[in-house]
Amino acid sequence: MRSAIDETDLGGDVGRGPGVEGAERVPPPGPPAGKVWERLHLFEQERGLVDHDGDEIARPESLLEAVRALDTDPMQVRSDRTVDFAEALQAPPEAAGEPPTPGLPSWHPLGPSVMRNGQTYGSGTGSRVDVSGRVSAIAVDPADSAHLLVGAAGGGVWESHDAGASWAPRGDHLATLTVGALAFDAAAPGTVYLGTGEGDFYAGLGQGVFRSTDGGTNWALAAGAPFVGVGFYGLVVDPSDHSTLYAATTTGVYVTSDDGTTWTQRRSGKAWSVSVHPAGGDTEVLATTAAGLARSTNRGVTWAAVNLSGVPTPPNYARLAVSHAPSKGAVAWVWGASDPPMPIGTQTQLTPRLWRRATANGAFAAVTTIPAVRTGQAWYDWHVHGDPTSDRAVYVGEINLFHVERQGNTSVWTNLSSKTNGDSIHPDQHCLAFDPNDGNIVYAGCDGGVYRSPDQGVNWEDLNDGLAITEVEYLAQDVGSASWLLGGTQDNGSIRYVGDPEWDHVADGDGGDCGASTTDSNRVYHSFFRMGLERSTDKGTTWTWVPTASRDPSVYGQLFYPPLEANGLTVAQGGESVFLSRDGGVSFTEVGLPGRPVASAMHMPSPDVVYVGTTNGRLFRLSWTGTAWAAPTPLTSPRTAWISDIWVDPAATNRIWLTYSQLGGGRVFSSQDSAATWTDRSAGLPALPINAVAVHPADANRVWVAADKGVFQSFDAGATWSSMSSGLPNCIIADLLYHPDAHVLRAGTRNRGIWEYEVERITDPICGVQFTGRLDSGETRRWFTFRWPATWHVLWTVMPTTVALGAPEIWFDVQIERADARYVTYWITVRNLTATPVAFEGRYAILSYR
């Protein structure tokens, strides 16, 4: 159906879908470290973990600057703010991550259990695949090849006992579900180690090392210190001393000799990988850090630098990885990306470098690379693994996955992930694992999930069914249906729910903010990254691209995911100005924001009013005069910080709620006087970012907020809060939606998909009399009753109140008119079948809200 077009480090854009009309999108300049760098920077800025100059979003002007920015990034090192943030995660919400209590309200997953038709960078047969979400670690049980463990970037540990045919989440109650590394103990495979904090992205959310003694089903903390706020890249159990483990983390190489209980830092600075000789750490341990390659022959107590030819001094690595050949430990491979930059078309990227050591303690010789290798995201997706079947072959991962084989003095490179014909897999490679009994069987983990090859990457099958780890950024809903949602996801496009846990993949690329009309359920909208959006008039089956502002952040200030709102036929997208449409997204008018702040949140209580919050805490109201959009009205804001969400009561616009994701102050505020004054409602909430707010439309005192862990509710307009997290995994809650008629609350999570909470339910039918009537002999008349929510399941009957024996008295028929996007009208025709007048009642029974 769709062809995926490269949108990663070289600044390309997403593919156009079937039935798409409108102008071709012109790719904006790509950020030097890849678009995912912008996502990471956005995540940190939202939480106040890095500084930004007022309204301007900092962008690296060169490749080396981008690499150095990541090296000093507070999510990658233990700044005070990051440690405070990580420590706040240690207190889990009450009942979060625990199984729901039978009979009591709790959260339940809506999926996606899998997404069909996902994107790859391949073409032809096999270029569309099933996807789930980002996988950061894979481990195969050395005693049972069918027993797999997978670590989702922010979605916890998943276990399979049937080689990936089915999955179950494990450890949802842990203080963090961010995963950086997994390692079985080959001598005692029931023992498994988990390094939390994803080194590639969610490093600052690490909570230490956990240990399982039942193969990964249950977990207990082995060591918090020194890993709180630290991310893992690798974790290895010494094959000759199983009490010794080696960890490669964002703050260095650490070693333990007591089964992971206490750890000693043996190399400082960022450490990307560690590899142990098959004979054990007293033979050799190799580790890569920002300083280069180092070697130890005494289980990491002392180290010596190892020269890598051709690298300038200082090396300025973006990433460096090492692996011993499993079949011959004397052979080792090193895979790196370093300065100086090299030209690739009109872009530049760091120089890719591959080295091979042929003999024990010998020199590492350079292996020629190919132009197809791409290093723009080396800091994010990069690994190397020696081929278990041959010491002359190696697997290297970047955006793509390659198999490299030495044939004499030459090297043959084969792209295993993006093929012209044959099976491809999703891009952005993070990890690799092998079957312990058959080195031809390969497991690849990437931004799209897990894939298995029985033949070294020639053929692939996805293992994503039931692996519910989608990273959801935004949600939109149909007000007239409880079984329709649109979601934006990280690198797995925009997805659509129609009542099945297998969601539809309806657009490629990164899925940004989205919206749906409140008056025409067929009109929906979604965005990718940066400005511009697509509109649909068939609920997301086909799309038309609509450009708004420049998509280059150096020209026009904007977030990686600009906010988008829709109400009726009004659509808005915000950057340093707001683009507004009154015709369903066909044409737009730009309204500038005073001082050019960058919009971070918007809310549209009616088609004629838009509220805009910015990254520096400013608040504006935009109003339609009847002929044009008036200049923005500045409103009082309670805090100079990143506004994450806005809610304004459509029935009483003096009631406003603001949430802030930035730490260091109040994160939830309410106003009862149109923003003239504000009350801090943060007391009773954890010291975590608050990402979203929702309010019950019929009860202004009932409020819900989404935090970086857990959902919290108030019944007294924020005076007090309680956790509402029963059954919910301990992951980041990114968005909240309350359906006004189905009475369900939906939560979009990072790496655990979408969850639903039934706020109100009907346990016994709600019955009543809607109308009464009287018909003369043989008379037929019709009644109608309107503004019934379309989501409700309602039964109608007409009951005679005039008693007459011996024959039927009344015939009736019910017909339904879909009056608008939200409501239905029931038309009830009644006929008197007797020769005398008949009185009757029109009765209803509401069976459920959906």
Side-chain angles (χ1 to χ4, degrees), residues 453-677:
S453 172
D455 48 20
Q456 297 188 320
V458 176
N459 298 285
W460 292 98
E461 61 175 330
D462 81 273
L463 303 182
N464 292 318
D465 284 45
L467 191 62
I469 59 170
T470 305
E471 186 166 358
V472 177
E473 308 283 354
Y474 301 96
L475 291 174
Q477 65 185 357
D478 178 353
V479 292
S481 172
S483 300
W484 192 95
L485 291 169
L486 189 65
T489 75
Q490 183 268 325
D491 210 37
N492 285 293
S494 292
I495 57 175
R496 180 179 60 191
Y497 172 70
V498 291
D500 192 314
E502 294 184 6
W503 289 47
D504 301 328
H505 177 97
V506 296
D508 282 345
D510 273 85
D513 207 349
C514 47
S517 171
T518 55
T519 56
D520 181 352
S521 60
N522 289 310
R523 291 182 180 272
V524 298
Y525 312 90
H526 88 97
S527 57
F528 298 102
F529 67 101
R530 303 185 188 161
M531 295 295 287
L533 56 90
E534 285 193 321
R535 56 182 169 86
S536 172
T537 56
D538 54 16
K539 302 198 82 165
T541 300
T542 60
W543 299 95
T544 299
W545 169 251
V546 184
T548 52
S550 167
R551 302 189 69 229
D552 184 350
S554 67
V555 173
Y556 176 90
Q558 60 195 279
L559 295 186
F560 183 78
Y561 292 130
L564 183 154
E565 286 290 311
N567 192 322
L569 289 177
T570 302
V571 188
Q573 188 178 47
E576 67 178 41
S577 60
V578 180
F579 284 81
L580 299 123
S581 171
R582 300 279 297 180
D583 55 12
V586 176
S587 60
F588 281 84
T589 298
E590 182 181 9
V591 177
L593 296 176
R596 299 176 64 190
V598 174
S600 56
M602 295 196 304
H603 184 69
M604 195 181 296
S606 78
D608 297 331
V609 180
V610 182
Y611 287 77
V612 181
T614 70
T615 60
N616 62 352
R618 298 179 69 184
L619 184 64
F620 300 93
R621 182 178 63 241
L622 281 68
S623 301
W624 176 253
T625 66
T627 57
W629 289 97
T633 300
L635 302 176
T636 302
S637 173
R639 188 179 169 209
T640 304
W642 195 292
I643 297 176
S644 56
D645 202 10
I646 307 170
W647 187 88
V648 182
D649 192 333
T653 55
N654 58 296
R655 290 198 290 259
I656 307 174
W657 287 84
L658 294 181
T659 63
Y660 293 81
S661 54
Q662 191 166 325
L663 301 174
R667 283 145 297 111
V668 179
F669 291 83
S670 68
S671 173
Q672 303 297 315
D673 53 13
S674 302
T677 61

Side-chain angles (χ1 to χ4, degrees), residues 24-165:
E24 285 281 359
R25 294 187 288 280
V26 178
K35 65 184 177 65
V36 72
W37 187 92
E38 288 189 34
R39 284 192 68 250
L40 175 60
H41 205 57
L42 172 64
F43 179 81
E44 296 167 336
Q45 285 186 333
E46 287 173 328
R47 286 152 180 79
L49 301 176
V50 294
D51 297 324
H52 60 94
D53 299 326
D55 306 320
E56 183 179 353
I57 298 175
R59 293 183 73 245
E61 297 303 323
S62 70
L63 194 60
L64 185 55
E65 181 184 345
V67 173
R68 286 173 174 165
L70 288 166
D71 285 340
T72 59
D73 197 306
M75 284 296 287
Q76 309 290 341
V77 297
R78 300 189 68 194
S79 72
D80 291 340
R81 283 179 292 177
T82 305
V83 173
D84 290 343
F85 180 35
E87 288 177 348
L89 291 170
Q90 293 176 341
E94 182 181 357
E98 299 293 345
T101 302
L104 296 179
S106 64
W107 290 91
H108 299 280
L110 283 185
S113 60
V114 72
M115 295 170 285
R116 309 294 183 195
N117 196 45
Q119 64 205 45
T120 72
Y121 289 162
S123 59
T125 304
S127 63
R128 306 305 297 194
V129 297
D130 293 351
V131 294
S132 55
R134 187 163 84 250
V135 166
S136 52
I138 305 172
V140 185
D141 190 331
D144 180 2
S145 296
H147 182 207
L148 309 179
L149 295 178
V150 160
V157 177
W158 291 70
E159 184 178 29
S160 174
H161 284 282
D162 51 16

